[in-house]
């Protein structure tokens, strides 16, 4: 199938089976087009997202079906743009990661209403990206693509490489050529093409957009470009899992990191769907967004009371959140304000402190993005913005093993000779 | 409770509740003593292991209880030395990792009877060590210890640090002082004491043994020394999970890495228990042991037809398996011979090749130990030792992110300028 940028109403009706996904719908003007590998509205250039047909679902039957499903995201197949038999296809089966009741952290932060960490480092390639890539992969299968691609500076490259390997797709991932060697190895080990671009991440992105419009890109599914409407839906599963793991209950407050902002908007979408389907009680919840001070365009706009997000040049150790011009920024502002949440940011030093705080209280080693959410949670409590008497969920979206440099200062408590005398001298007993 | 090395029959009866664990029993002479923080028989110096009382279990009730249990090792609490309410206590809840149906790898290796990878990189600190440490932690709780300790060169240090942090224990881990900085960071981030010993791993071990006998070590649970009988039982859960995930069926063949050999012997113990409890059909199974050529004392003894394992000086990239004098070596030989299995080894180059093979076929990035098991599986098939028409399970016990150096040669396929012309020149389409 030829690659298109815009959807056209002249397209025939859906010819693909992506379960309850009924059409693509423009987030801005509501214009609907059939399902296809397109991502922008032909009418207004707004972003397309999945419109579902959930009619005919009986709440209690659906709940039972989910609970009897596999211990991965496919338990929610009836709510995702995937065919009903998705669990039988080769993929990495991400999700159903632990919701850790973080009593030690709660004590340190003064949270009394229940504090939970949703720990997505438990995914196959140890970040939440496995959730979104898994959706893009099913869309790629449906549209007959044979190559899975993306631009990336880290987590996404590994997630795409691994998913493509398992599913029997060719993969071709584009990264800035001067990435750290460790990150290159993590992405290259899966055996796909890994192409270094002489330039920065913006150059990589520009090149990918060119490639999508070129015959050379035919048959290529770029997970975060022409498959983006499907890809983005993967983040809904975080909302579903949190609620089911809380006993089919909405959290009162949830703290979500912001890169493009897509994850936060889809978590809101997921919570709204659960309410509409009757799977959880309809009650208020607050969504808080977390950024690093060194890349805080959304937080800056929130604090200034703006509706528009002004781009920034990122300079932070939280590289997986370092998107200076977040596409979904305005939607994030709207959700934070509508739900009574907020958007806040923390310095790199606070990120490192928060990584260590989470590790020493709960034994969870988060990547820098997790340090951002925990750090922001702490700050919001100290500032009286987040209510410590309410049930609060904090997302950890990645693994500390991927950002070891951030805590490189951590080291030995003591160095001793192999003798009891030397041990006693060190004052460790 | 004072630390003891040997169990004594003059001890009173069990005063601790560790569920179905009834006593400690000597593996050599069968001498029984009450449960306690001891690891060697007072009669014959043989290793002590847990003796259970499984009487009163109804097979189908037990199966239902397990299936209704949590998605972690505590679903098997009725078969482990832990109190019945263990799942309510703060710990890392490891286990119930994915059993991946590895059809792509099977095709490459010519396996037709079904090939599965049990992927323990999905554990909280990304190695199987979380399973064993979780058992030691419950024993430490029962015996009133307040410090969790171990000697380690890698995975175990992180697993102990994380588990202690979450459970509210002090931790003090001993490592050779000149470990790679990355490994030090991974262990130090949890905030426990991390003590570098001026010496090699043998010096670290000797020091720990001294400390156990000294008043300075009072109140300390060394997970792999005075808590070893409890610790070791954690590996049984790998056997339980594999069988349950196969639909309560024994695999025909299972390939297990050998470090001390404890894991392999406990997997055999776990399979035997499932047979005796009626949870699986009683039929033959073969257990294969995998070593790196650079540390292959058990494989060498197996091939020579010896019952005794001669120590070796390790020299391999598979550092988590580099135990030159494996305590359970003779038991491993016995199990491999009794079940019709074998013990084999592969070179470091074959380990690297196998890591890449698993990554590009199944999207699983294994640490070097996983490369050893996959590499040995390949070799055993090529040599006609492992039957490709039988259901085969291969263990991956750790995560490639922890041994990145092994595949450091993996890199970019191409480097191009950000233009379609440069892309075409690179021959990637």
């Amino acid at each position: 199938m030829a690659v298109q940028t815009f959807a056209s109403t002249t397209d025939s009706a859906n010819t693909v089976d992506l379960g309850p996904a009924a059409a693509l719908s423009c987030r801005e003007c509501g214009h609907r087009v059939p399902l296809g590998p397109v991502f922008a509205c032909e009418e207004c250039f707004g972003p397309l997202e999945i419109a579902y047909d959930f009619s005919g679902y009986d709440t209690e039957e659906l709940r039972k079906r989910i609970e009897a499903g596999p211990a991965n995201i496919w338990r929610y197949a009836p709510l995702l743009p995937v065919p009903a038999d998705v669990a039988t296809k080769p993929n990495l089966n991400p999700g159903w990661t632990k919701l850790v009741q973080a009593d030690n952290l709660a004590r340190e932060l003064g949270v009394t209403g229940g504090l939970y960490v949703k720990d997505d480092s438990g995914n196959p390639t140890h970040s939440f990206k496995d959730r979104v890539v898994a959706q893009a992969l099913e869309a790629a299968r449906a549209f007959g693509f044979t190559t899975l691609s993306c631009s990336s500076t880290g987590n996404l490259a590994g997630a795409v490489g691994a998913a493509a390997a398992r599913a029997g797709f060719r993969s071709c991932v584009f990264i800035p050529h001067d990435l750290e060697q460790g990150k290159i190895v993590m992405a290259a080990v899966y055996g796909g093409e890994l192409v270094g671009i002489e330039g920065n991440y913006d150059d990589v992105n520009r090149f990918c957009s060119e490639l999508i419009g070129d015959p050379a890109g035919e048959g290529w599914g770029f997970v975060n470009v022409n498959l983006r409407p499907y890809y983005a839906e993967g983040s809904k599963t975080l909302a579903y899992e949190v609620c089911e793991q809380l006993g089919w209950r909405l959290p009162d407050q949830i703290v979500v990191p912001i890169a493009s902002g897509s994850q936060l908007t889809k978590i809101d979408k997921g919570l709204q769907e659960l309410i509409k389907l009757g799977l959880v009680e309809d009650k208020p919840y607050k969504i808080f967004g977390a950024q690093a001070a060194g890349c805080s365009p959304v937080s800056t706009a929130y604090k200034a009371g703006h509706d528009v997000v002004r781009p920034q040049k990122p300079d932070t150790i939280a590289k997986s959140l370092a998107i200076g011009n977040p596409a979904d920024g305005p939607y994030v502002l709207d959700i934070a304000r509508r739900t009574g949440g907020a958007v806040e940011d923390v310095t790199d030093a606070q990120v490192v402190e928060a990584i260590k705080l989470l590790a020493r209280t709960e034994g969870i080693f988060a990547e820098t993005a997790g340090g951002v959410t925990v750090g922001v949670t702490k700050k919001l409590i100290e500032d009286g913005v987040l209510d410590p008497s309410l049930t609060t969920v904090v997302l950890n979206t990645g693994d500390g093993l991927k950002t070891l440099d951030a805590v490189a200062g951590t080291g030995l408590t003591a160095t001793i000779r192999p003798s009891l005398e030397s041990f006693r001298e060190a004052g460790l007993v």
Side-chain angles (χ1 to χ4, degrees), chain A residues 76-99:
Chain A
Y76 306 108
L79 306 178
L80 295 169
V82 294
D85 65 348
V86 61
T88 67
K89 295 170 191 277
N91 65 69
L92 295 178
N93 295 320
W96 203 241
T97 55
K98 292 182 199 299
L99 183 71

Side-chain angles (χ1 to χ4, degrees), chain A residues 128 131-132 231-239 262-263 266-267:
Chain A
F128 96 98
R131 296 178 184 271
V132 286
Y231 169 89
E233 296 295 287
S235 292
K236 291 197 309 179
T237 59
L238 277 162
S262 167
Q263 185 182 66
K266 295 303 178 183
I267 284 174

Side-chain angles (χ1 to χ4, degrees), chain A residues 26 29 79 135 154 235 237 293 300 316 320 384:
Chain A
C26 175
C29 74
L79 306 178
Q135 312 299 317
S235 292
T237 59
T300 302
T316 168
S320 62

Side-chain angles (χ1 to χ4, degrees), chain A residues 58-91:
Chain A
D58 173 85
T59 302
E60 289 317 308
E61 261 174 38
L62 179 59
R63 193 194 309 275
K64 270 186 205 143
R65 187 168 152 195
I66 291 170
E67 288 175 350
N72 57 52
I73 53 171
W74 306 133
R75 62 200 288 113
Y76 306 108
L79 306 178
L80 295 169
V82 294
D85 65 348
V86 61
T88 67
K89 295 170 191 277
N91 65 69

Side-chain angles (χ1 to χ4, degrees), chain A residues 249-311:
Chain A
R249 198 161 55 86
L250 290 168
D252 297 319
Q253 305 176 126
I254 181 163
V255 187
V256 182
I258 301 172
S260 73
S262 167
Q263 185 182 66
L264 189 146
T265 67
K266 295 303 178 183
I267 284 174
D268 181 55
K269 187 180 182 187
L271 297 177
Q272 288 295 324
E273 286 173 354
L274 294 185
I275 291 171
K276 281 181 199 132
L277 288 160
L279 288 165
V280 297
E281 192 192 353
D282 187 2
K283 70 162 195 67
Y285 58 82
K286 297 178 182 181
I287 300 188
F288 298 85
Q291 295 207 295
C295 181
S296 53
V298 188
S299 166
T300 302
Y302 176 83
K303 290 176 186 174
H306 295 160
D307 292 331
V308 176
V309 172
R310 192 176 297 172

Side-chain angles (χ1 to χ4, degrees), chain A residues 7-31:
Chain A
S8 164
T9 44
T10 61
D11 284 358
S12 58
N14 294 334
T15 53
V16 296
D17 172 18
L18 288 172
L24 291 171
S25 164
C26 175
R27 183 150 188 159
E28 289 298 327
C29 74
H31 181 64

